[in-house]
Structures are given as structure tokens and as C-alpha cells.
Amino acid sequence: HRKLEVSRKMDKTIFTKSHRDLVGRLIKARKATKLKQAEVAKKLGRTQSCISKIEAGQRRIDTVQLKEFAAIYKKKLRYFIE
């Protein structure tokens, strides 16, 4: 039961304001670089569908992934989390 309870709490994180803010900054940064989702996906070794789900707020992003996005978009990590 404990594992299920933790899992439910984690699922809710994608619906928080801070997650929506992060997603908005990811989209804004990508558009500022004039990159398409498919181009970002190729640079990250992922599918365009994965990038689309991240930008739609359907998939969480960890700090390692965020560092990769920051490098591609030439932004500091704090840009995405402040």
C-alpha cells in the first residue's frame, strides 16, 4: 500500500503550478532558439513524441534531462526553475 500511496503523490506533480511554469519556460526557450521538437529530440536522442509529451505537461522531467535542455537552449538551469 505504501508504494501505491507514494506513486499517487508523484503523479500529481505534473499538475502543479511549478510544473506548468517549467513546461512554459521549456517551450519558450525552444521557440527562442527556433528549433522544432523533432530537432530537439534528435539532439537529446529521444523521439519527437517524447518532447511533445514533456511540453504538453504529460511527462515529468528530471534534473539530468533539464540540464540537457538547458545546454541545447543555452540557458542557465535557474531560468527554468525560478
Side-chain angles (χ1 to χ4, degrees):
H1 292 244
R2 175 83 178 132
K3 187 176 181 182
L4 181 60
E5 183 179 315
V6 170
S7 177
R8 283 186 188 150
K9 286 180 183 177
M10 289 178 66
D11 289 344
K12 292 180 182 179
T13 61
I14 65 170
F15 301 109
T16 64
K17 181 182 181 321
S18 59
H19 185 261
R20 287 191 307 270
D21 291 345
L22 169 63
V23 167
R25 288 185 185 109
L26 282 170
I27 294 168
K28 185 176 179 180
R30 178 178 59 78
K31 289 182 177 181
T33 62
K34 297 186 177 6
L35 290 172
K36 296 183 179 181
Q37 287 180 346
E39 295 169 316
V40 173
K42 187 174 183 179
K43 289 176 182 284
L44 293 174
R46 296 190 179 82
T47 64
Q48 181 274 329
S49 174
C50 174
I51 304 305
S52 177
K53 286 179 181 177
I54 289 170
E55 289 189 0
Q58 298 172 353
R59 177 174 274 172
R60 292 186 312 150
I61 181 170
D62 65 29
T63 53
V64 173
Q65 292 171 316
L66 187 56
K67 283 177 69 174
E68 293 171 338
F69 279 106
I72 290 170
Y73 299 151
K74 296 179 176 49
K75 299 281 186 189
K76 294 188 178 194
L77 276 177
R78 79 176 116 189
Y79 168 82
F80 298 101
I81 55 176
E82 289 183 334

PDB file of all heavy atoms in Angstrom, residues 14-39:
ATOM      1  N   ILE A  14       2.831  16.530 -11.872  1.00  0.00           N
ATOM      2  CA  ILE A  14       2.742  17.085 -13.218  1.00  0.00           C
ATOM      3  C   ILE A  14       1.578  18.066 -13.354  1.00  0.00           C
ATOM      4  O   ILE A  14       1.447  18.716 -14.375  1.00  0.00           O
ATOM      5  CB  ILE A  14       2.665  15.993 -14.316  1.00  0.00           C
ATOM      6  CG1 ILE A  14       1.384  15.170 -14.205  1.00  0.00           C
ATOM      7  CG2 ILE A  14       3.904  15.128 -14.317  1.00  0.00           C
ATOM      8  CD1 ILE A  14       1.144  14.255 -15.389  1.00  0.00           C
ATOM      9  N   PHE A  15       0.775  18.182 -12.327  1.00  0.00           N
ATOM     10  CA  PHE A  15      -0.362  19.097 -12.392  1.00  0.00           C
ATOM     11  C   PHE A  15      -0.160  20.343 -11.521  1.00  0.00           C
ATOM     12  O   PHE A  15      -1.049  21.147 -11.368  1.00  0.00           O
ATOM     13  CB  PHE A  15      -1.650  18.387 -11.984  1.00  0.00           C
ATOM     14  CG  PHE A  15      -1.953  17.195 -12.868  1.00  0.00           C
ATOM     15  CD1 PHE A  15      -1.841  15.911 -12.381  1.00  0.00           C
ATOM     16  CD2 PHE A  15      -2.323  17.377 -14.193  1.00  0.00           C
ATOM     17  CE1 PHE A  15      -2.103  14.814 -13.206  1.00  0.00           C
ATOM     18  CE2 PHE A  15      -2.583  16.289 -15.017  1.00  0.00           C
ATOM     19  CZ  PHE A  15      -2.466  15.006 -14.518  1.00  0.00           C
ATOM     20  N   THR A  16       1.034  20.500 -10.982  1.00  0.00           N
ATOM     21  CA  THR A  16       1.297  21.643 -10.125  1.00  0.00           C
ATOM     22  C   THR A  16       1.614  22.883 -10.950  1.00  0.00           C
ATOM     23  O   THR A  16       2.017  22.789 -12.107  1.00  0.00           O
ATOM     24  CB  THR A  16       2.479  21.370  -9.173  1.00  0.00           C
ATOM     25  OG1 THR A  16       3.664  21.191  -9.963  1.00  0.00           O
ATOM     26  CG2 THR A  16       2.233  20.157  -8.294  1.00  0.00           C
ATOM     27  N   LYS A  17       1.472  24.034 -10.326  1.00  0.00           N
ATOM     28  CA  LYS A  17       1.784  25.298 -10.997  1.00  0.00           C
ATOM     29  C   LYS A  17       3.264  25.345 -11.368  1.00  0.00           C
ATOM     30  O   LYS A  17       3.617  25.791 -12.459  1.00  0.00           O
ATOM     31  CB  LYS A  17       1.424  26.485 -10.109  1.00  0.00           C
ATOM     32  CG  LYS A  17       1.707  27.819 -10.786  1.00  0.00           C
ATOM     33  CD  LYS A  17       1.402  28.985  -9.875  1.00  0.00           C
ATOM     34  CE  LYS A  17       1.662  30.325 -10.527  1.00  0.00           C
ATOM     35  NZ  LYS A  17       2.814  30.453 -11.380  1.00  0.00           N
ATOM     36  N   SER A  18       4.114  24.876 -10.483  1.00  0.00           N
ATOM     37  CA  SER A  18       5.550  24.926 -10.779  1.00  0.00           C
ATOM     38  C   SER A  18       5.907  24.058 -11.980  1.00  0.00           C
ATOM     39  O   SER A  18       6.777  24.425 -12.779  1.00  0.00           O
ATOM     40  CB  SER A  18       6.386  24.543  -9.560  1.00  0.00           C
ATOM     41  OG  SER A  18       6.065  23.260  -9.114  1.00  0.00           O
ATOM     42  N   HIS A  19       5.224  22.928 -12.154  1.00  0.00           N
ATOM     43  CA  HIS A  19       5.476  22.092 -13.333  1.00  0.00           C
ATOM     44  C   HIS A  19       4.982  22.799 -14.588  1.00  0.00           C
ATOM     45  O   HIS A  19       5.656  22.805 -15.611  1.00  0.00           O
ATOM     46  CB  HIS A  19       4.828  20.713 -13.186  1.00  0.00           C
ATOM     47  CG  HIS A  19       5.173  19.802 -14.319  1.00  0.00           C
ATOM     48  ND1 HIS A  19       4.331  19.591 -15.376  1.00  0.00           N
ATOM     49  CD2 HIS A  19       6.292  19.093 -14.583  1.00  0.00           C
ATOM     50  CE1 HIS A  19       4.902  18.769 -16.232  1.00  0.00           C
ATOM     51  NE2 HIS A  19       6.095  18.449 -15.772  1.00  0.00           N
ATOM     52  N   ARG A  20       3.810  23.410 -14.509  1.00  0.00           N
ATOM     53  CA  ARG A  20       3.293  24.153 -15.670  1.00  0.00           C
ATOM     54  C   ARG A  20       4.228  25.302 -16.039  1.00  0.00           C
ATOM     55  O   ARG A  20       4.474  25.562 -17.221  1.00  0.00           O
ATOM     56  CB  ARG A  20       1.882  24.681 -15.388  1.00  0.00           C
ATOM     57  CG  ARG A  20       0.807  23.598 -15.399  1.00  0.00           C
ATOM     58  CD  ARG A  20      -0.600  24.194 -15.385  1.00  0.00           C
ATOM     59  NE  ARG A  20      -0.816  25.142 -14.301  1.00  0.00           N
ATOM     60  CZ  ARG A  20      -1.267  24.829 -13.094  1.00  0.00           C
ATOM     61  NH1 ARG A  20      -1.559  23.569 -12.810  1.00  0.00           N
ATOM     62  NH2 ARG A  20      -1.448  25.750 -12.165  1.00  0.00           N
ATOM     63  N   ASP A  21       4.766  25.978 -15.030  1.00  0.00           N
ATOM     64  CA  ASP A  21       5.717  27.068 -15.278  1.00  0.00           C
ATOM     65  C   ASP A  21       6.974  26.540 -15.971  1.00  0.00           C
ATOM     66  O   ASP A  21       7.481  27.159 -16.915  1.00  0.00           O
ATOM     67  CB  ASP A  21       6.104  27.760 -13.975  1.00  0.00           C
ATOM     68  CG  ASP A  21       4.946  28.549 -13.360  1.00  0.00           C
ATOM     69  OD1 ASP A  21       3.939  28.804 -14.058  1.00  0.00           O
ATOM     70  OD2 ASP A  21       5.061  28.902 -12.170  1.00  0.00           O
ATOM     71  N   LEU A  22       7.479  25.420 -15.499  1.00  0.00           N
ATOM     72  CA  LEU A  22       8.657  24.805 -16.097  1.00  0.00           C
ATOM     73  C   LEU A  22       8.402  24.463 -17.561  1.00  0.00           C
ATOM     74  O   LEU A  22       9.206  24.775 -18.435  1.00  0.00           O
ATOM     75  CB  LEU A  22       9.058  23.545 -15.322  1.00  0.00           C
ATOM     76  CG  LEU A  22      10.110  22.646 -15.973  1.00  0.00           C
ATOM     77  CD1 LEU A  22      11.432  23.376 -16.138  1.00  0.00           C
ATOM     78  CD2 LEU A  22      10.289  21.379 -15.170  1.00  0.00           C
ATOM     79  N   VAL A  23       7.273  23.843 -17.828  1.00  0.00           N
ATOM     80  CA  VAL A  23       6.913  23.466 -19.190  1.00  0.00           C
ATOM     81  C   VAL A  23       6.821  24.719 -20.072  1.00  0.00           C
ATOM     82  O   VAL A  23       7.329  24.730 -21.199  1.00  0.00           O
ATOM     83  CB  VAL A  23       5.583  22.673 -19.206  1.00  0.00           C
ATOM     84  CG1 VAL A  23       5.025  22.549 -20.605  1.00  0.00           C
ATOM     85  CG2 VAL A  23       5.788  21.302 -18.583  1.00  0.00           C
ATOM     86  N   GLY A  24       6.207  25.764 -19.553  1.00  0.00           N
ATOM     87  CA  GLY A  24       6.095  27.004 -20.312  1.00  0.00           C
ATOM     88  C   GLY A  24       7.454  27.580 -20.664  1.00  0.00           C
ATOM     89  O   GLY A  24       7.680  28.060 -21.783  1.00  0.00           O
ATOM     90  N   ARG A  25       8.386  27.498 -19.730  1.00  0.00           N
ATOM     91  CA  ARG A  25       9.740  28.012 -19.984  1.00  0.00           C
ATOM     92  C   ARG A  25      10.482  27.138 -20.991  1.00  0.00           C
ATOM     93  O   ARG A  25      11.259  27.642 -21.800  1.00  0.00           O
ATOM     94  CB  ARG A  25      10.510  28.125 -18.672  1.00  0.00           C
ATOM     95  CG  ARG A  25      10.001  29.264 -17.822  1.00  0.00           C
ATOM     96  CD  ARG A  25      10.844  29.455 -16.572  1.00  0.00           C
ATOM     97  NE  ARG A  25      10.262  30.485 -15.728  1.00  0.00           N
ATOM     98  CZ  ARG A  25       9.660  30.249 -14.573  1.00  0.00           C
ATOM     99  NH1 ARG A  25       9.576  29.023 -14.103  1.00  0.00           N
ATOM    100  NH2 ARG A  25       9.145  31.237 -13.871  1.00  0.00           N
ATOM    101  N   LEU A  26      10.260  25.826 -20.926  1.00  0.00           N
ATOM    102  CA  LEU A  26      10.873  24.933 -21.917  1.00  0.00           C
ATOM    103  C   LEU A  26      10.403  25.282 -23.324  1.00  0.00           C
ATOM    104  O   LEU A  26      11.206  25.363 -24.258  1.00  0.00           O
ATOM    105  CB  LEU A  26      10.531  23.471 -21.608  1.00  0.00           C
ATOM    106  CG  LEU A  26      11.311  22.807 -20.486  1.00  0.00           C
ATOM    107  CD1 LEU A  26      10.680  21.462 -20.140  1.00  0.00           C
ATOM    108  CD2 LEU A  26      12.772  22.627 -20.880  1.00  0.00           C
ATOM    109  N   ILE A  27       9.104  25.491 -23.467  1.00  0.00           N
ATOM    110  CA  ILE A  27       8.543  25.830 -24.779  1.00  0.00           C
ATOM    111  C   ILE A  27       9.088  27.173 -25.255  1.00  0.00           C
ATOM    112  O   ILE A  27       9.511  27.307 -26.413  1.00  0.00           O
ATOM    113  CB  ILE A  27       7.002  25.837 -24.721  1.00  0.00           C
ATOM    114  CG1 ILE A  27       6.472  24.423 -24.445  1.00  0.00           C
ATOM    115  CG2 ILE A  27       6.421  26.405 -26.015  1.00  0.00           C
ATOM    116  CD1 ILE A  27       5.007  24.366 -24.077  1.00  0.00           C
ATOM    117  N   LYS A  28       9.084  28.155 -24.369  1.00  0.00           N
ATOM    118  CA  LYS A  28       9.569  29.496 -24.718  1.00  0.00           C
ATOM    119  C   LYS A  28      11.035  29.448 -25.148  1.00  0.00           C
ATOM    120  O   LYS A  28      11.428  30.065 -26.146  1.00  0.00           O
ATOM    121  CB  LYS A  28       9.395  30.424 -23.516  1.00  0.00           C
ATOM    122  CG  LYS A  28       9.742  31.862 -23.781  1.00  0.00           C
ATOM    123  CD  LYS A  28       9.454  32.724 -22.554  1.00  0.00           C
ATOM    124  CE  LYS A  28       9.822  34.168 -22.806  1.00  0.00           C
ATOM    125  NZ  LYS A  28       9.542  35.008 -21.637  1.00  0.00           N
ATOM    126  N   ALA A  29      11.848  28.697 -24.411  1.00  0.00           N
ATOM    127  CA  ALA A  29      13.273  28.582 -24.733  1.00  0.00           C
ATOM    128  C   ALA A  29      13.477  27.890 -26.078  1.00  0.00           C
ATOM    129  O   ALA A  29      14.329  28.300 -26.873  1.00  0.00           O
ATOM    130  CB  ALA A  29      14.005  27.833 -23.624  1.00  0.00           C
ATOM    131  N   ARG A  30      12.702  26.835 -26.334  1.00  0.00           N
ATOM    132  CA  ARG A  30      12.832  26.126 -27.622  1.00  0.00           C
ATOM    133  C   ARG A  30      12.472  27.052 -28.772  1.00  0.00           C
ATOM    134  O   ARG A  30      13.185  27.151 -29.768  1.00  0.00           O
ATOM    135  CB  ARG A  30      11.951  24.875 -27.664  1.00  0.00           C
ATOM    136  CG  ARG A  30      12.050  24.151 -29.026  1.00  0.00           C
ATOM    137  CD  ARG A  30      11.227  22.889 -29.086  1.00  0.00           C
ATOM    138  NE  ARG A  30       9.821  23.110 -28.848  1.00  0.00           N
ATOM    139  CZ  ARG A  30       8.967  23.606 -29.758  1.00  0.00           C
ATOM    140  NH1 ARG A  30       9.372  23.969 -30.950  1.00  0.00           N
ATOM    141  NH2 ARG A  30       7.688  23.752 -29.451  1.00  0.00           N
ATOM    142  N   LYS A  31      11.373  27.776 -28.626  1.00  0.00           N
ATOM    143  CA  LYS A  31      10.942  28.674 -29.693  1.00  0.00           C
ATOM    144  C   LYS A  31      11.946  29.802 -29.910  1.00  0.00           C
ATOM    145  O   LYS A  31      12.158  30.232 -31.043  1.00  0.00           O
ATOM    146  CB  LYS A  31       9.545  29.211 -29.396  1.00  0.00           C
ATOM    147  CG  LYS A  31       8.488  28.124 -29.552  1.00  0.00           C
ATOM    148  CD  LYS A  31       7.093  28.652 -29.316  1.00  0.00           C
ATOM    149  CE  LYS A  31       6.073  27.542 -29.559  1.00  0.00           C
ATOM    150  NZ  LYS A  31       4.699  28.007 -29.369  1.00  0.00           N
ATOM    151  N   ALA A  32      12.577  30.263 -28.841  1.00  0.00           N
ATOM    152  CA  ALA A  32      13.585  31.326 -28.957  1.00  0.00           C
ATOM    153  C   ALA A  32      14.788  30.853 -29.770  1.00  0.00           C
ATOM    154  O   ALA A  32      15.433  31.654 -30.447  1.00  0.00           O
ATOM    155  CB  ALA A  32      14.025  31.798 -27.580  1.00  0.00           C
ATOM    156  N   THR A  33      15.079  29.552 -29.716  1.00  0.00           N
ATOM    157  CA  THR A  33      16.197  29.003 -30.486  1.00  0.00           C
ATOM    158  C   THR A  33      15.772  28.615 -31.895  1.00  0.00           C
ATOM    159  O   THR A  33      16.598  28.193 -32.697  1.00  0.00           O
ATOM    160  CB  THR A  33      16.801  27.762 -29.805  1.00  0.00           C
ATOM    161  OG1 THR A  33      15.812  26.742 -29.726  1.00  0.00           O
ATOM    162  CG2 THR A  33      17.354  28.089 -28.440  1.00  0.00           C
ATOM    163  N   LYS A  34      14.456  28.744 -32.166  1.00  0.00           N
ATOM    164  CA  LYS A  34      13.876  28.399 -33.471  1.00  0.00           C
ATOM    165  C   LYS A  34      14.064  26.920 -33.838  1.00  0.00           C
ATOM    166  O   LYS A  34      14.120  26.558 -34.997  1.00  0.00           O
ATOM    167  CB  LYS A  34      14.432  29.304 -34.569  1.00  0.00           C
ATOM    168  CG  LYS A  34      14.089  30.772 -34.369  1.00  0.00           C
ATOM    169  CD  LYS A  34      14.533  31.594 -35.536  1.00  0.00           C
ATOM    170  CE  LYS A  34      14.222  33.041 -35.546  1.00  0.00           C
ATOM    171  NZ  LYS A  34      13.655  33.785 -34.550  1.00  0.00           N
ATOM    172  N   LEU A  35      14.151  26.092 -32.802  1.00  0.00           N
ATOM    173  CA  LEU A  35      14.264  24.651 -33.021  1.00  0.00           C
ATOM    174  C   LEU A  35      12.878  24.024 -33.003  1.00  0.00           C
ATOM    175  O   LEU A  35      12.010  24.443 -32.244  1.00  0.00           O
ATOM    176  CB  LEU A  35      15.118  24.001 -31.933  1.00  0.00           C
ATOM    177  CG  LEU A  35      16.612  24.315 -31.949  1.00  0.00           C
ATOM    178  CD1 LEU A  35      17.278  23.756 -30.688  1.00  0.00           C
ATOM    179  CD2 LEU A  35      17.268  23.737 -33.186  1.00  0.00           C
ATOM    180  N   LYS A  36      12.704  23.018 -33.820  1.00  0.00           N
ATOM    181  CA  LYS A  36      11.460  22.234 -33.819  1.00  0.00           C
ATOM    182  C   LYS A  36      11.618  21.102 -32.819  1.00  0.00           C
ATOM    183  O   LYS A  36      12.742  20.705 -32.473  1.00  0.00           O
ATOM    184  CB  LYS A  36      11.179  21.691 -35.215  1.00  0.00           C
ATOM    185  CG  LYS A  36      10.923  22.789 -36.219  1.00  0.00           C
ATOM    186  CD  LYS A  36      10.591  22.235 -37.564  1.00  0.00           C
ATOM    187  CE  LYS A  36      10.318  23.410 -38.507  1.00  0.00           C
ATOM    188  NZ  LYS A  36       9.957  22.989 -39.830  1.00  0.00           N
ATOM    189  N   GLN A  37      10.497  20.574 -32.361  1.00  0.00           N
ATOM    190  CA  GLN A  37      10.537  19.469 -31.401  1.00  0.00           C
ATOM    191  C   GLN A  37      11.373  18.312 -31.933  1.00  0.00           C
ATOM    192  O   GLN A  37      12.146  17.713 -31.192  1.00  0.00           O
ATOM    193  CB  GLN A  37       9.125  18.977 -31.085  1.00  0.00           C
ATOM    194  CG  GLN A  37       8.327  19.907 -30.213  1.00  0.00           C
ATOM    195  CD  GLN A  37       6.935  19.365 -29.924  1.00  0.00           C
ATOM    196  OE1 GLN A  37       6.460  18.431 -30.574  1.00  0.00           O
ATOM    197  NE2 GLN A  37       6.284  19.956 -28.945  1.00  0.00           N
ATOM    198  N   ALA A  38      11.242  18.008 -33.211  1.00  0.00           N
ATOM    199  CA  ALA A  38      11.990  16.894 -33.802  1.00  0.00           C
ATOM    200  C   ALA A  38      13.497  17.144 -33.746  1.00  0.00           C
ATOM    201  O   ALA A  38      14.280  16.213 -33.523  1.00  0.00           O
ATOM    202  CB  ALA A  38      11.544  16.664 -35.242  1.00  0.00           C
ATOM    203  N   GLU A  39      13.909  18.393 -33.914  1.00  0.00           N
ATOM    204  CA  GLU A  39      15.332  18.730 -33.854  1.00  0.00           C
ATOM    205  C   GLU A  39      15.872  18.578 -32.435  1.00  0.00           C
ATOM    206  O   GLU A  39      16.975  18.065 -32.234  1.00  0.00           O
ATOM    207  CB  GLU A  39      15.549  20.158 -34.366  1.00  0.00           C
ATOM    208  CG  GLU A  39      15.219  20.330 -35.839  1.00  0.00           C
ATOM    209  CD  GLU A  39      15.168  21.780 -36.280  1.00  0.00           C
ATOM    210  OE1 GLU A  39      14.576  22.609 -35.548  1.00  0.00           O
ATOM    211  OE2 GLU A  39      15.719  22.086 -37.355  1.00  0.00           O
TER     212      GLU A  39
END
